[in-house]
Amino acid sequence: MSHGRIVKVAGPLVVADGMQDVSMFDVVRVSDRRLIGEVLEMREDRASIQVYEETAGLGPGEPVYGTGAPLSVELGPGLISTIFDGIQRPLEVIREMVGSNITRGIDVPALDRGKRWRFEPSVEAGAKVAAGDIIGKVQETEVVEHRIMVPHGVAGTITEIAPGEYTVEEIVAKLQTDSGDIVELTMMQKWPVRVGRPYKEKLPPLEPMVTGQRVIDTLFPIAKGGVAAVPGPFGSGKTVVQHQLAKWADADIVVYIGCGERGNEMTDVLMEFPQLKDPRTGESLMKRTVLIANTSDMPVAAREASIYTGITIAEYFRDMGYSVALMADSTSRWAEALREMSGRLEEMPGEEGYPAYLSSRLAQFYERAGRVISIGSEGREGTLSAIGAVSPPGGDLSEPVTQATLRIVKVFWGLDSSLAYRRHFPAINWLRSYSLYVDQLEDWTNANISREWTTLRADTLRILQEEAELEEIVRLVGIDSLSALERVTLEAAKSIREDYLHQNAFHEVDTYTSLNKQYRMLKLILAFYYRGTDAVKSGVALDKLFSLPVRERIGRAKYVLEDDVDTVFGEIEAELNAQIEALVAKEVGSDVEGI
């Protein structure tokens, strides 16, 4: 093992010379405390190293040992339901070893070397396999079947394979390559985090990732394999939105990265997720979740690694053919880590001190999402959807991280502190947000929801836009200056906001709404708008229209159980039609009497 000597320590940056045998992005062990570091820059034999642990007490002259390998993650059974830190150290194992505080230089394997897993082969001896092919399965949790794949760059004929209980390091199969070499296959493989896992083909995302959050699914949907950003100021509900997506999104596997957020927020996740029931399986949500906890009190440099660790694990499950949802909370903290290291490396700063390569690094991260055909002879399809929270200082969306993110992502859920203060959740501003997947998803929604869906969505956005314009007039000259039809538009917009877009994350029924229920709810609210507009044109008084008894039932429709949706909504619709027809008939009758 090659080693050099420290010549300079500047916070998380350590400079060492005598490092001619190491390469860029290699992992090194710093000092005899064996702190984990990664080479960021090489100048002749001098290496600049990003240390992922506290560097207090280090000094010049101490040794630095090269490992000859890049920063990599271990991929295999044991990932699901484990809580890792930013460099894939299992936190629960460390707590059992050293207590609540992580000791510097602790070296724990990411996957448990002692645990035995039941391996069931999917192929027999004599089968020809290529890289990416599934050779066996392990039931990792009650809900996740872990598929053991042939590692990248390996192909040939299986010579030995047997069912049984194995640790992740024991040989489960042997493979003979075309050149005659024998390759021993285990259930674990390693992958460098800064390199995206290969795939055969990238496909356009054509199916929505259903989240059960009405403002998202209806107005600003994200596709499976899509990318979204959730920017918002402090207290506007970024973390709650991401919790809701992690709980309810239509994904097989969830990878949640707490990247530099406050410790108490991550604690909420760690306490809450094991107790949450997965709506699809009835088991704990942790049975299909990988958590990476890298809070703001951990070294800044480790935030940068946590994003790459998380997305590499997500790509691994995508390659098995799963639909994976990745939540990164938040990419702003990750960008701050980039900024700190860039400053210490004395690089030329870009806007607001961020490095000039900020946009390309963000793009490299988000580009790893997508819907792909995995490598291998089967042609499995897997999706990886990435949702990144952005925490702009003071809620200023013009700052560099937000702007760089918006140039890359296709969905923007802009959170609004004024909505959050009014207790409107999710606080997604419907006038500022957008989704560029709507057109791509139209064929799917026409086939699976209704051909009316596109029209209902467009009318909803139009009504909300008109409400914003009319409110300006009301503020200036009062509501009496509006026509009766404009008043109906305001009333319909209020119903859309309060009865549809507002959703209670803590109510057992309202926390999740299926697409069928969303369609029926929206159709009902807009039916009041369409029928009300016609009634007002027929001469019906506004106060009588607005005080119809059925309006309370429309407002409470969000609490109808999923099993009762079609029956109850049919009743409410019939009631609405009957009450409006009675109003119109009465109005027309009184007009005839007057004549």
Side-chain angles (χ1 to χ4, degrees), residues 243-511:
H243 286 200
Q244 284 294 94
L245 296 178
K247 285 180 219 173
W248 299 107
D250 174 22
D252 302 313
I253 308 286
V254 174
V255 178
Y256 192 99
I257 308 166
C259 171
E261 282 303 302
R262 290 176 300 285
N264 56 342
E265 289 185 359
M266 203 62 219
T267 306
D268 285 347
V269 176
L270 302 181
M271 300 293 282
E272 198 178 299
F273 274 36
Q275 293 171 0
L276 284 172
K277 260 199 172 178
D278 182 350
R280 300 199 299 171
T281 62
E283 296 287 341
S284 162
L285 191 66
M286 282 299 287
K287 298 280 176 74
R288 62 182 180 94
T289 302
V290 181
L291 283 175
I292 294 169
N294 199 79
T295 53
S296 50
D297 63 337
M298 291 182 177
V300 170
R303 297 180 195 174
E304 206 233 340
S306 61
I307 289 276
Y308 293 111
T309 300
I311 201 152
T312 307
I313 292 170
E315 284 177 329
Y316 175 62
F317 285 106
R318 174 207 70 190
D319 289 349
M320 292 183 198
Y322 287 122
S323 168
V324 185
L326 175 127
M327 317 290 160
D329 188 12
S330 94
T331 54
S332 293
R333 306 281 171 262
W334 171 68
E336 284 168 10
L338 276 183
R339 178 166 64 180
E340 171 158 350
M341 291 314 299
S342 174
R344 294 194 185 277
L345 288 167
E346 298 175 9
E347 295 172 339
M348 180 67 75
E351 195 179 349
E352 289 188 25
Y354 287 102
Y357 48 78
L358 172 67
S359 293
S360 65
R361 287 287 176 88
L362 275 168
Q364 283 167 11
F365 166 67
Y366 283 113
E367 285 294 320
R368 288 170 72 171
R371 172 176 165 235
V372 305
I373 302 288
S374 301
I375 59 169
S377 45
E378 295 171 50
R380 289 184 305 279
E381 186 182 302
T383 61
L384 167 51
S385 314
I387 296 150
V390 187
S391 316
D396 174 19
L397 298 186
S398 66
E399 59 88 44
V401 181
T402 311
Q403 287 303 306
T405 305
L406 291 186
R407 284 196 288 273
I408 300 156
V409 301
K410 287 197 165 188
V411 179
F412 169 60
W413 298 321
L415 296 174
D416 192 322
S417 54
S418 64
L419 283 175
Y421 290 139
R422 297 209 299 264
R423 296 288 183 267
H424 180 103
F425 178 84
I428 293 174
N429 185 314
W430 46 85
L431 300 175
R432 276 208 316 241
S433 304
Y434 60 81
S435 169
L436 302 181
Y437 291 116
V438 172
D439 294 341
Q440 286 170 268
L441 301 176
E442 193 170 328
D443 290 343
W444 190 94
T445 50
N446 286 345
N448 293 277
I449 309 174
S450 165
R451 299 197 75 82
E452 285 181 280
W453 183 254
T454 308
T455 312
L456 292 175
R457 178 184 180 277
D459 283 351
T460 303
L461 285 168
R462 176 180 56 78
I463 291 166
L464 291 168
Q465 185 67 49
E466 284 178 16
E467 179 200 33
E469 293 163 8
L470 292 172
E471 279 186 335
E472 287 291 320
I473 298 168
V474 171
R475 271 198 289 273
L476 288 169
V477 288
I479 200 159
D480 295 334
S481 61
L482 299 183
S483 68
L485 290 178
E486 289 171 335
R487 294 277 295 277
V488 173
T489 302
L490 277 185
E491 194 67 19
K494 183 183 175 191
S495 182
I496 290 168
R497 281 190 289 105
E498 295 179 1
D499 305 334
Y500 190 78
L501 299 181
H502 181 273
Q503 195 164 350
N504 186 347
F506 302 104
H507 189 281
E508 58 182 355
V509 176
D510 196 32
T511 186

Side-chain angles (χ1 to χ4, degrees), residues 78-79 82-86 88-91 110-111 290-293 313:
L79 288 171
T82 306
I83 302 160
F84 297 106
D85 74 354
Q88 212 202 6
R89 294 181 299 189
L91 293 175
L111 299 180
V290 181
L291 283 175
I292 294 169
I313 292 170

